[in-house]
């Protein structure tokens, strides 16, 4: 059942991602990378292993400021469409998954240029 929900979530997010400006990496890739993190940002106590591997892969692609801004803009645009979530849990992904990248809280009001 959880897999079906994740697949449906991916399809919904991919549909809405076409509205988001192209990012490096592409927004669709960002969405796929963080899909396993959705239950964590919605309140599960620990991120799933797939969340950590997706976040680590995404962190490796966030080489430049423009890459990080693109990822941020993508998430900022699609996350409000998944329903309620806690933006403050995004920084915890890096901490709990052992990623040496600062992940800011991301919400509809996040300034991705900073």
């Amino acid at each position: 059942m959880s897999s079906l929900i994740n697949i449906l979530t991916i399809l919904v997010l991919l549909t809405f991602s076409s509205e988001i400006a192209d990012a490096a990496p592409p927004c669709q890739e960002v969405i796929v990378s963080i899909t396993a993190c959705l239950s964590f940002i919605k309140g599960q106590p620990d991120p799933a292993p797939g969340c950590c591997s997706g976040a680590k892969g995404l962190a490796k692609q966030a080489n430049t400021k423009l890459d990080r801004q693109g990822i941020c803009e993508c998430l900022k645009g699609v996350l409000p469409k998944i329903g309620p979530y806690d933006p403050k849990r995004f920084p915890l992904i890096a901490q709990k998954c052992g990623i040496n990248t600062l992940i800011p809280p991301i919400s509809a009001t996040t300034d991705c240029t900073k």
Side-chain angles (χ1 to χ4, degrees):
M1 181 69 165
S2 176
S3 295
L4 178 60
I5 292 171
N6 283 342
I7 290 170
L8 292 174
T9 301
I10 289 172
L11 292 175
V12 169
L13 292 177
L14 288 174
T15 300
F16 289 113
S17 71
S18 63
E19 301 170 7
I20 309 300
D22 287 333
C27 192
Q28 291 86 353
E29 191 174 317
V30 172
I31 292 166
V32 170
S33 295
I34 63 102
T35 298
C37 299
L38 295 179
S39 59
F40 179 72
I41 64 172
K42 287 184 167 210
Q44 285 288 326
D46 293 306
C51 171
C52 289
S53 62
K56 285 177 183 177
L58 196 56
K60 288 179 183 176
Q61 296 179 54
N63 298 317
T64 68
K65 184 175 182 177
L66 287 177
D67 292 340
R68 293 184 291 277
Q69 286 176 341
I71 292 167
C72 178
E73 289 294 344
C74 172
L75 294 174
K76 178 179 169 181
V78 298
L79 285 172
K81 295 168 176 57
I82 66 165
Y85 71 98
D86 184 354
K88 295 176 187 168
R89 293 186 62 85
F90 268 99
L92 297 176
I93 294 171
Q95 178 185 4
K96 289 187 173 265
C97 294
I99 301 170
N100 292 327
T101 299
L102 175 64
I103 303 173
I106 299 175
S107 70
T109 59
T110 299
D111 182 357
C112 292
T113 63
K114 296 183 178 178

